[in-house]
Amino acid sequence: MKKARIILDKDFIIGEIDKRIFGSFIEHLGRAVYGGIYEPGHPEADELGFRKDVTELVRKLDVPIVRYPGGNFVSGFNWEDSVGPREARPKRLDLAWFTTETNEVGLHEFADWAGKAGSDLMYAINLGNRGPEQARDIVEYANHPSGSKFSDMRIANGKKDPFGIKLWCLGNEMDGPWQMGQKRAKEYGRVANEAAKMMKWVDPSIEVVACGSSSSEMPTFGAWEMEMLDECYENVDYVSLHRYYANPTGDTPGFLARTMDMDDFIKSVVAVCDAIKGKKHSKHIVNLSFDEWNVWYHSREQDEEIWKQDKWNRALPLLEDIYNFEDALLVGSMLITLLRNADRVKVACLAQLVNVIAPIMTRNGGGAWAQTIYYPFMHASKYGRGTALKTLTDSPVYSCQDYDDVPYIDAVATMDGKGNVTVFAVNRDSKEDYELEIDLRSFGGLSLSEHILLHNDDVRAVNTEEKPDNVVPVAGPGGTVNDGRAIIKLPALSWNTIRFSGK
Ligand code: AHR
């Protein structure tokens, strides 16, 4: 068996983990809302039409915040369409996804659902075909107590108390040519600055996220962040990062190494934020909101076919990636990467939550089940709260097409307020089991309480409605702890949650 070693120290702290790092995302896209969380007439529908089975699966993930209502969708969205009497709400062509948006579910209904799911809202405003004026209007509608046009409109629409939405996205992927109202960096930075100022004048307690590049692969990545932040630095709190990975050639080692890119991406955006801080002689720190991240490629061809046959229908089954076991391993590594950067990544959203590139799938009129990627997210969200610890890892490494020195063992550790320590580890080696030594001496007397393992011999294994338990966590082989040194077995290609409890 191959060996790897981790040294932990309770005083080697990366930072406090902002619980919003375990956020997710629901867009008015495909069957995320209609046929996903909301399906009136379904046997599981509650009094408002929300599926209780889906809400329960979301609750188990413990998602503190959900980004809404888009995504690309938001750049053509009028928030006013989604409030007020349902029968008066307009049907609109959605030019982002070539479907028809009926506005049956809007801000009030979604906020009700989020409450049931145990999540706060992260609301994205439209800076595509709209501007700062409509942005301040929706903040007034959502957050102002009463006595003004939009706050009184909210009250008339049945919500006396403000929604109290604390986190707002200043548009979405505004550098992308696919975006309605695409902008140049300086142009966006100006609009974002004015929107942020006016929104914060309405409610000074809010925080706002400026759009970074829609991916690190954009030719303008870096320059966009510099120019945009130069215009709005003092008035924004976070810069967004979005990244999706794919494995179209079936290269598992190369695919599992993609978090090397994610880590570089994060470090580059931090460097740009801090460079602008220096340039402006500012005391203000802009942190990161990695508000779209996941694997996305399985459904791309299928979507082209759907659009050929069925443009403009409501709730087309778009972006319905069926995730396999190796996707779950990469999602695990992406979570490890976010935790490892917890000093600067304060918000992150697994994109998305239901049906659309999602951990949870449903069938219209049928069941709801957890995809493979559900489990690493659930473990990290449940056990990865508290403080992120520096993890000195000594692991054999490999080379693949894009990277050298990829550690076979990818790991991070967290410590909760009671002194319990959790190590999350992916074994990227497709052939070898590892004996992992974890040096825990500084914690004094930790014992192994649980080893949760996700493994399948077939990297292409998936969960389906008929076989929802094909790829599920089991008790791992565990190991021993002697004199503050744990020896744990990590099977080849596995996601591991190793929990140690204090005295
Ligand atoms: O999450 C799906 C889409 O991916 C979002 O709408 C967009 O922001 C990104 O390009």
Side-chain angles (χ1 to χ4, degrees), residues 159-187:
K159 182 83 171 71
K160 183 169 175 298
D161 295 329
F163 290 103
I165 300 171
K166 291 293 171 215
L167 188 59
W168 297 75
C169 302
L170 301 171
N172 178 70
E173 296 190 348
M174 295 309 311
D175 60 333
W178 56 86
Q179 206 69 224
M180 287 170 265
Q182 180 197 7
K183 296 190 171 35
R184 296 187 196 287
K186 192 177 172 65
E187 185 188 7

PDB file of all heavy atoms in Angstrom, residues 159-187:
ATOM      1  N   LYS A 159     -46.775  40.815   2.246  1.00  0.00           N
ATOM      2  CA  LYS A 159     -45.603  40.578   3.096  1.00  0.00           C
ATOM      3  C   LYS A 159     -45.337  41.838   3.913  1.00  0.00           C
ATOM      4  O   LYS A 159     -44.727  42.783   3.435  1.00  0.00           O
ATOM      5  CB  LYS A 159     -44.396  40.219   2.207  1.00  0.00           C
ATOM      6  CG  LYS A 159     -43.133  39.897   2.956  1.00  0.00           C
ATOM      7  CD  LYS A 159     -43.105  38.457   3.443  1.00  0.00           C
ATOM      8  CE  LYS A 159     -41.745  38.057   3.999  1.00  0.00           C
ATOM      9  NZ  LYS A 159     -41.391  38.652   5.278  1.00  0.00           N
ATOM     10  N   LYS A 160     -45.810  41.791   5.159  1.00  0.00           N
ATOM     11  CA  LYS A 160     -45.681  42.978   6.003  1.00  0.00           C
ATOM     12  C   LYS A 160     -44.215  43.251   6.352  1.00  0.00           C
ATOM     13  O   LYS A 160     -43.711  44.353   6.186  1.00  0.00           O
ATOM     14  CB  LYS A 160     -46.505  42.773   7.281  1.00  0.00           C
ATOM     15  CG  LYS A 160     -46.494  43.968   8.202  1.00  0.00           C
ATOM     16  CD  LYS A 160     -47.536  43.803   9.305  1.00  0.00           C
ATOM     17  CE  LYS A 160     -47.454  44.928  10.313  1.00  0.00           C
ATOM     18  NZ  LYS A 160     -46.164  44.964  11.010  1.00  0.00           N
ATOM     19  N   ASP A 161     -43.542  42.208   6.848  1.00  0.00           N
ATOM     20  CA  ASP A 161     -42.144  42.412   7.254  1.00  0.00           C
ATOM     21  C   ASP A 161     -41.230  42.328   6.043  1.00  0.00           C
ATOM     22  O   ASP A 161     -41.457  41.537   5.133  1.00  0.00           O
ATOM     23  CB  ASP A 161     -41.733  41.335   8.269  1.00  0.00           C
ATOM     24  CG  ASP A 161     -42.522  41.480   9.552  1.00  0.00           C
ATOM     25  OD1 ASP A 161     -42.882  42.626   9.886  1.00  0.00           O
ATOM     26  OD2 ASP A 161     -42.819  40.451  10.190  1.00  0.00           O
ATOM     27  N   PRO A 162     -40.161  43.106   6.068  1.00  0.00           N
ATOM     28  CA  PRO A 162     -39.205  43.032   4.953  1.00  0.00           C
ATOM     29  C   PRO A 162     -38.621  41.630   4.803  1.00  0.00           C
ATOM     30  O   PRO A 162     -38.552  40.867   5.767  1.00  0.00           O
ATOM     31  CB  PRO A 162     -38.120  44.028   5.355  1.00  0.00           C
ATOM     32  CG  PRO A 162     -38.731  44.912   6.380  1.00  0.00           C
ATOM     33  CD  PRO A 162     -39.780  44.112   7.076  1.00  0.00           C
ATOM     34  N   PHE A 163     -38.193  41.311   3.585  1.00  0.00           N
ATOM     35  CA  PHE A 163     -37.520  40.024   3.373  1.00  0.00           C
ATOM     36  C   PHE A 163     -36.135  40.024   4.031  1.00  0.00           C
ATOM     37  O   PHE A 163     -35.623  38.970   4.387  1.00  0.00           O
ATOM     38  CB  PHE A 163     -37.363  39.746   1.872  1.00  0.00           C
ATOM     39  CG  PHE A 163     -38.666  39.436   1.181  1.00  0.00           C
ATOM     40  CD1 PHE A 163     -39.308  40.383   0.405  1.00  0.00           C
ATOM     41  CD2 PHE A 163     -39.257  38.189   1.320  1.00  0.00           C
ATOM     42  CE1 PHE A 163     -40.512  40.100  -0.234  1.00  0.00           C
ATOM     43  CE2 PHE A 163     -40.459  37.887   0.692  1.00  0.00           C
ATOM     44  CZ  PHE A 163     -41.093  38.848  -0.092  1.00  0.00           C
ATOM     45  N   GLY A 164     -35.539  41.208   4.132  1.00  0.00           N
ATOM     46  CA  GLY A 164     -34.231  41.302   4.797  1.00  0.00           C
ATOM     47  C   GLY A 164     -33.136  40.549   4.058  1.00  0.00           C
ATOM     48  O   GLY A 164     -32.337  39.839   4.673  1.00  0.00           O
ATOM     49  N   ILE A 165     -33.078  40.735   2.734  1.00  0.00           N
ATOM     50  CA  ILE A 165     -32.045  40.031   1.941  1.00  0.00           C
ATOM     51  C   ILE A 165     -30.712  40.768   2.122  1.00  0.00           C
ATOM     52  O   ILE A 165     -30.619  41.967   1.846  1.00  0.00           O
ATOM     53  CB  ILE A 165     -32.446  39.989   0.452  1.00  0.00           C
ATOM     54  CG1 ILE A 165     -33.781  39.247   0.301  1.00  0.00           C
ATOM     55  CG2 ILE A 165     -31.348  39.332  -0.379  1.00  0.00           C
ATOM     56  CD1 ILE A 165     -34.378  39.336  -1.088  1.00  0.00           C
ATOM     57  N   LYS A 166     -29.711  40.043   2.577  1.00  0.00           N
ATOM     58  CA  LYS A 166     -28.448  40.698   2.960  1.00  0.00           C
ATOM     59  C   LYS A 166     -27.381  40.658   1.865  1.00  0.00           C
ATOM     60  O   LYS A 166     -26.428  41.443   1.907  1.00  0.00           O
ATOM     61  CB  LYS A 166     -27.867  40.021   4.215  1.00  0.00           C
ATOM     62  CG  LYS A 166     -28.704  40.278   5.451  1.00  0.00           C
ATOM     63  CD  LYS A 166     -28.646  41.746   5.852  1.00  0.00           C
ATOM     64  CE  LYS A 166     -29.627  42.090   6.949  1.00  0.00           C
ATOM     65  NZ  LYS A 166     -30.190  43.443   6.810  1.00  0.00           N
ATOM     66  N   LEU A 167     -27.501  39.731   0.935  1.00  0.00           N
ATOM     67  CA  LEU A 167     -26.427  39.566  -0.056  1.00  0.00           C
ATOM     68  C   LEU A 167     -27.010  39.678  -1.467  1.00  0.00           C
ATOM     69  O   LEU A 167     -27.965  38.957  -1.818  1.00  0.00           O
ATOM     70  CB  LEU A 167     -25.764  38.195   0.154  1.00  0.00           C
ATOM     71  CG  LEU A 167     -24.516  37.900  -0.651  1.00  0.00           C
ATOM     72  CD1 LEU A 167     -23.409  38.924  -0.368  1.00  0.00           C
ATOM     73  CD2 LEU A 167     -23.999  36.488  -0.330  1.00  0.00           C
ATOM     74  N   TRP A 168     -26.415  40.555  -2.283  1.00  0.00           N
ATOM     75  CA  TRP A 168     -26.960  40.874  -3.599  1.00  0.00           C
ATOM     76  C   TRP A 168     -25.864  40.757  -4.668  1.00  0.00           C
ATOM     77  O   TRP A 168     -24.757  41.247  -4.471  1.00  0.00           O
ATOM     78  CB  TRP A 168     -27.512  42.302  -3.609  1.00  0.00           C
ATOM     79  CG  TRP A 168     -28.655  42.511  -2.657  1.00  0.00           C
ATOM     80  CD1 TRP A 168     -28.581  42.622  -1.288  1.00  0.00           C
ATOM     81  CD2 TRP A 168     -30.043  42.617  -2.986  1.00  0.00           C
ATOM     82  NE1 TRP A 168     -29.839  42.794  -0.758  1.00  0.00           N
ATOM     83  CE2 TRP A 168     -30.762  42.807  -1.782  1.00  0.00           C
ATOM     84  CE3 TRP A 168     -30.761  42.587  -4.192  1.00  0.00           C
ATOM     85  CZ2 TRP A 168     -32.141  42.955  -1.742  1.00  0.00           C
ATOM     86  CZ3 TRP A 168     -32.137  42.739  -4.155  1.00  0.00           C
ATOM     87  CH2 TRP A 168     -32.821  42.916  -2.950  1.00  0.00           C
ATOM     88  N   CYS A 169     -26.221  40.131  -5.794  1.00  0.00           N
ATOM     89  CA  CYS A 169     -25.275  40.047  -6.925  1.00  0.00           C
ATOM     90  C   CYS A 169     -25.568  41.190  -7.884  1.00  0.00           C
ATOM     91  O   CYS A 169     -26.719  41.371  -8.303  1.00  0.00           O
ATOM     92  CB  CYS A 169     -25.453  38.741  -7.689  1.00  0.00           C
ATOM     93  SG  CYS A 169     -25.235  37.289  -6.691  1.00  0.00           S
ATOM     94  N   LEU A 170     -24.510  41.903  -8.260  1.00  0.00           N
ATOM     95  CA  LEU A 170     -24.665  43.029  -9.194  1.00  0.00           C
ATOM     96  C   LEU A 170     -24.620  42.496 -10.623  1.00  0.00           C
ATOM     97  O   LEU A 170     -23.640  42.658 -11.349  1.00  0.00           O
ATOM     98  CB  LEU A 170     -23.560  44.053  -8.951  1.00  0.00           C
ATOM     99  CG  LEU A 170     -23.503  44.646  -7.532  1.00  0.00           C
ATOM    100  CD1 LEU A 170     -22.245  45.485  -7.335  1.00  0.00           C
ATOM    101  CD2 LEU A 170     -24.751  45.479  -7.256  1.00  0.00           C
ATOM    102  N   GLY A 171     -25.703  41.810 -11.012  1.00  0.00           N
ATOM    103  CA  GLY A 171     -25.770  41.222 -12.349  1.00  0.00           C
ATOM    104  C   GLY A 171     -25.104  39.862 -12.391  1.00  0.00           C
ATOM    105  O   GLY A 171     -24.732  39.294 -11.344  1.00  0.00           O
ATOM    106  N   ASN A 172     -24.950  39.347 -13.596  1.00  0.00           N
ATOM    107  CA  ASN A 172     -24.378  38.014 -13.781  1.00  0.00           C
ATOM    108  C   ASN A 172     -23.521  37.966 -15.043  1.00  0.00           C
ATOM    109  O   ASN A 172     -23.973  38.386 -16.121  1.00  0.00           O
ATOM    110  CB  ASN A 172     -25.518  36.993 -13.936  1.00  0.00           C
ATOM    111  CG  ASN A 172     -25.008  35.585 -14.179  1.00  0.00           C
ATOM    112  OD1 ASN A 172     -24.445  34.971 -13.297  1.00  0.00           O
ATOM    113  ND2 ASN A 172     -25.179  35.082 -15.397  1.00  0.00           N
ATOM    114  N   GLU A 173     -22.300  37.478 -14.903  1.00  0.00           N
ATOM    115  CA  GLU A 173     -21.401  37.216 -16.043  1.00  0.00           C
ATOM    116  C   GLU A 173     -21.482  38.306 -17.108  1.00  0.00           C
ATOM    117  O   GLU A 173     -21.711  38.026 -18.291  1.00  0.00           O
ATOM    118  CB  GLU A 173     -21.717  35.837 -16.646  1.00  0.00           C
ATOM    119  CG  GLU A 173     -21.453  34.713 -15.675  1.00  0.00           C
ATOM    120  CD  GLU A 173     -21.519  33.312 -16.270  1.00  0.00           C
ATOM    121  OE1 GLU A 173     -21.997  33.167 -17.411  1.00  0.00           O
ATOM    122  OE2 GLU A 173     -21.084  32.369 -15.583  1.00  0.00           O
ATOM    123  N   MET A 174     -21.253  39.539 -16.697  1.00  0.00           N
ATOM    124  CA  MET A 174     -21.485  40.653 -17.618  1.00  0.00           C
ATOM    125  C   MET A 174     -20.413  40.769 -18.704  1.00  0.00           C
ATOM    126  O   MET A 174     -20.549  41.565 -19.628  1.00  0.00           O
ATOM    127  CB  MET A 174     -21.579  41.972 -16.834  1.00  0.00           C
ATOM    128  CG  MET A 174     -22.771  42.067 -15.883  1.00  0.00           C
ATOM    129  SD  MET A 174     -24.393  41.676 -16.588  1.00  0.00           S
ATOM    130  CE  MET A 174     -24.415  42.639 -18.056  1.00  0.00           C
ATOM    131  N   ASP A 175     -19.345  39.955 -18.602  1.00  0.00           N
ATOM    132  CA  ASP A 175     -18.315  39.953 -19.651  1.00  0.00           C
ATOM    133  C   ASP A 175     -18.673  39.018 -20.809  1.00  0.00           C
ATOM    134  O   ASP A 175     -18.017  39.023 -21.841  1.00  0.00           O
ATOM    135  CB  ASP A 175     -16.969  39.510 -19.064  1.00  0.00           C
ATOM    136  CG  ASP A 175     -17.035  38.102 -18.468  1.00  0.00           C
ATOM    137  OD1 ASP A 175     -18.145  37.680 -18.047  1.00  0.00           O
ATOM    138  OD2 ASP A 175     -16.000  37.416 -18.430  1.00  0.00           O
ATOM    139  N   GLY A 176     -19.718  38.194 -20.646  1.00  0.00           N
ATOM    140  CA  GLY A 176     -19.986  37.121 -21.616  1.00  0.00           C
ATOM    141  C   GLY A 176     -20.816  37.586 -22.802  1.00  0.00           C
ATOM    142  O   GLY A 176     -21.844  38.243 -22.619  1.00  0.00           O
ATOM    143  N   PRO A 177     -20.397  37.240 -24.031  1.00  0.00           N
ATOM    144  CA  PRO A 177     -21.192  37.631 -25.207  1.00  0.00           C
ATOM    145  C   PRO A 177     -22.583  36.999 -25.221  1.00  0.00           C
ATOM    146  O   PRO A 177     -23.476  37.483 -25.905  1.00  0.00           O
ATOM    147  CB  PRO A 177     -20.358  37.141 -26.395  1.00  0.00           C
ATOM    148  CG  PRO A 177     -19.270  36.307 -25.855  1.00  0.00           C
ATOM    149  CD  PRO A 177     -19.138  36.582 -24.383  1.00  0.00           C
ATOM    150  N   TRP A 178     -22.770  35.914 -24.453  1.00  0.00           N
ATOM    151  CA  TRP A 178     -24.084  35.263 -24.377  1.00  0.00           C
ATOM    152  C   TRP A 178     -25.049  36.024 -23.460  1.00  0.00           C
ATOM    153  O   TRP A 178     -26.214  35.693 -23.360  1.00  0.00           O
ATOM    154  CB  TRP A 178     -23.929  33.826 -23.844  1.00  0.00           C
ATOM    155  CG  TRP A 178     -23.233  33.779 -22.513  1.00  0.00           C
ATOM    156  CD1 TRP A 178     -23.801  33.905 -21.283  1.00  0.00           C
ATOM    157  CD2 TRP A 178     -21.832  33.641 -22.303  1.00  0.00           C
ATOM    158  NE1 TRP A 178     -22.841  33.866 -20.308  1.00  0.00           N
ATOM    159  CE2 TRP A 178     -21.613  33.700 -20.899  1.00  0.00           C
ATOM    160  CE3 TRP A 178     -20.722  33.489 -23.152  1.00  0.00           C
ATOM    161  CZ2 TRP A 178     -20.348  33.603 -20.348  1.00  0.00           C
ATOM    162  CZ3 TRP A 178     -19.465  33.385 -22.595  1.00  0.00           C
ATOM    163  CH2 TRP A 178     -19.284  33.441 -21.209  1.00  0.00           C
ATOM    164  N   GLN A 179     -24.526  37.047 -22.805  1.00  0.00           N
ATOM    165  CA  GLN A 179     -25.337  37.735 -21.803  1.00  0.00           C
ATOM    166  C   GLN A 179     -26.146  38.855 -22.448  1.00  0.00           C
ATOM    167  O   GLN A 179     -25.600  39.609 -23.248  1.00  0.00           O
ATOM    168  CB  GLN A 179     -24.401  38.338 -20.732  1.00  0.00           C
ATOM    169  CG  GLN A 179     -25.023  38.530 -19.386  1.00  0.00           C
ATOM    170  CD  GLN A 179     -25.318  37.204 -18.720  1.00  0.00           C
ATOM    171  OE1 GLN A 179     -26.381  37.042 -18.167  1.00  0.00           O
ATOM    172  NE2 GLN A 179     -24.396  36.273 -18.811  1.00  0.00           N
ATOM    173  N   MET A 180     -27.412  38.971 -22.082  1.00  0.00           N
ATOM    174  CA  MET A 180     -28.180  40.144 -22.520  1.00  0.00           C
ATOM    175  C   MET A 180     -27.538  41.371 -21.870  1.00  0.00           C
ATOM    176  O   MET A 180     -27.344  41.405 -20.663  1.00  0.00           O
ATOM    177  CB  MET A 180     -29.635  40.018 -22.046  1.00  0.00           C
ATOM    178  CG  MET A 180     -30.424  38.980 -22.806  1.00  0.00           C
ATOM    179  SD  MET A 180     -32.017  38.688 -22.016  1.00  0.00           S
ATOM    180  CE  MET A 180     -31.658  37.265 -20.992  1.00  0.00           C
ATOM    181  N   GLY A 181     -27.198  42.340 -22.692  1.00  0.00           N
ATOM    182  CA  GLY A 181     -26.610  43.566 -22.145  1.00  0.00           C
ATOM    183  C   GLY A 181     -25.158  43.408 -21.739  1.00  0.00           C
ATOM    184  O   GLY A 181     -24.698  44.063 -20.790  1.00  0.00           O
ATOM    185  N   GLN A 182     -24.413  42.557 -22.458  1.00  0.00           N
ATOM    186  CA  GLN A 182     -22.966  42.392 -22.177  1.00  0.00           C
ATOM    187  C   GLN A 182     -22.278  43.766 -22.095  1.00  0.00           C
ATOM    188  O   GLN A 182     -22.672  44.697 -22.810  1.00  0.00           O
ATOM    189  CB  GLN A 182     -22.321  41.579 -23.302  1.00  0.00           C
ATOM    190  CG  GLN A 182     -20.829  41.349 -23.106  1.00  0.00           C
ATOM    191  CD  GLN A 182     -20.134  40.917 -24.404  1.00  0.00           C
ATOM    192  OE1 GLN A 182     -20.734  40.906 -25.473  1.00  0.00           O
ATOM    193  NE2 GLN A 182     -18.877  40.558 -24.289  1.00  0.00           N
ATOM    194  N   LYS A 183     -21.293  43.856 -21.229  1.00  0.00           N
ATOM    195  CA  LYS A 183     -20.622  45.149 -21.066  1.00  0.00           C
ATOM    196  C   LYS A 183     -19.100  45.014 -21.115  1.00  0.00           C
ATOM    197  O   LYS A 183     -18.570  43.930 -20.877  1.00  0.00           O
ATOM    198  CB  LYS A 183     -21.026  45.783 -19.728  1.00  0.00           C
ATOM    199  CG  LYS A 183     -22.516  46.111 -19.699  1.00  0.00           C
ATOM    200  CD  LYS A 183     -22.925  46.932 -18.526  1.00  0.00           C
ATOM    201  CE  LYS A 183     -24.359  47.406 -18.653  1.00  0.00           C
ATOM    202  NZ  LYS A 183     -25.312  46.503 -19.296  1.00  0.00           N
ATOM    203  N   ARG A 184     -18.456  46.139 -21.405  1.00  0.00           N
ATOM    204  CA  ARG A 184     -16.998  46.183 -21.266  1.00  0.00           C
ATOM    205  C   ARG A 184     -16.689  46.381 -19.784  1.00  0.00           C
ATOM    206  O   ARG A 184     -17.536  46.865 -19.021  1.00  0.00           O
ATOM    207  CB  ARG A 184     -16.421  47.342 -22.065  1.00  0.00           C
ATOM    208  CG  ARG A 184     -16.633  47.189 -23.551  1.00  0.00           C
ATOM    209  CD  ARG A 184     -15.901  48.266 -24.326  1.00  0.00           C
ATOM    210  NE  ARG A 184     -16.400  48.354 -25.692  1.00  0.00           N
ATOM    211  CZ  ARG A 184     -16.154  47.449 -26.632  1.00  0.00           C
ATOM    212  NH1 ARG A 184     -15.405  46.408 -26.354  1.00  0.00           N
ATOM    213  NH2 ARG A 184     -16.658  47.582 -27.849  1.00  0.00           N
ATOM    214  N   ALA A 185     -15.443  46.064 -19.399  1.00  0.00           N
ATOM    215  CA  ALA A 185     -15.088  46.069 -17.971  1.00  0.00           C
ATOM    216  C   ALA A 185     -15.329  47.420 -17.305  1.00  0.00           C
ATOM    217  O   ALA A 185     -15.945  47.509 -16.238  1.00  0.00           O
ATOM    218  CB  ALA A 185     -13.633  45.641 -17.811  1.00  0.00           C
ATOM    219  N   LYS A 186     -14.862  48.468 -17.961  1.00  0.00           N
ATOM    220  CA  LYS A 186     -14.982  49.810 -17.361  1.00  0.00           C
ATOM    221  C   LYS A 186     -16.456  50.216 -17.278  1.00  0.00           C
ATOM    222  O   LYS A 186     -16.914  50.768 -16.267  1.00  0.00           O
ATOM    223  CB  LYS A 186     -14.195  50.798 -18.218  1.00  0.00           C
ATOM    224  CG  LYS A 186     -13.984  52.145 -17.588  1.00  0.00           C
ATOM    225  CD  LYS A 186     -13.126  53.018 -18.515  1.00  0.00           C
ATOM    226  CE  LYS A 186     -13.024  54.444 -18.036  1.00  0.00           C
ATOM    227  NZ  LYS A 186     -12.319  54.589 -16.774  1.00  0.00           N
ATOM    228  N   GLU A 187     -17.170  49.886 -18.365  1.00  0.00           N
ATOM    229  CA  GLU A 187     -18.595  50.227 -18.447  1.00  0.00           C
ATOM    230  C   GLU A 187     -19.361  49.504 -17.322  1.00  0.00           C
ATOM    231  O   GLU A 187     -20.136  50.114 -16.578  1.00  0.00           O
ATOM    232  CB  GLU A 187     -19.074  49.744 -19.824  1.00  0.00           C
ATOM    233  CG  GLU A 187     -20.465  50.054 -20.225  1.00  0.00           C
ATOM    234  CD  GLU A 187     -20.809  49.324 -21.545  1.00  0.00           C
ATOM    235  OE1 GLU A 187     -20.011  48.502 -22.040  1.00  0.00           O
ATOM    236  OE2 GLU A 187     -21.915  49.583 -22.047  1.00  0.00           O
TER     237      GLU A 187
END
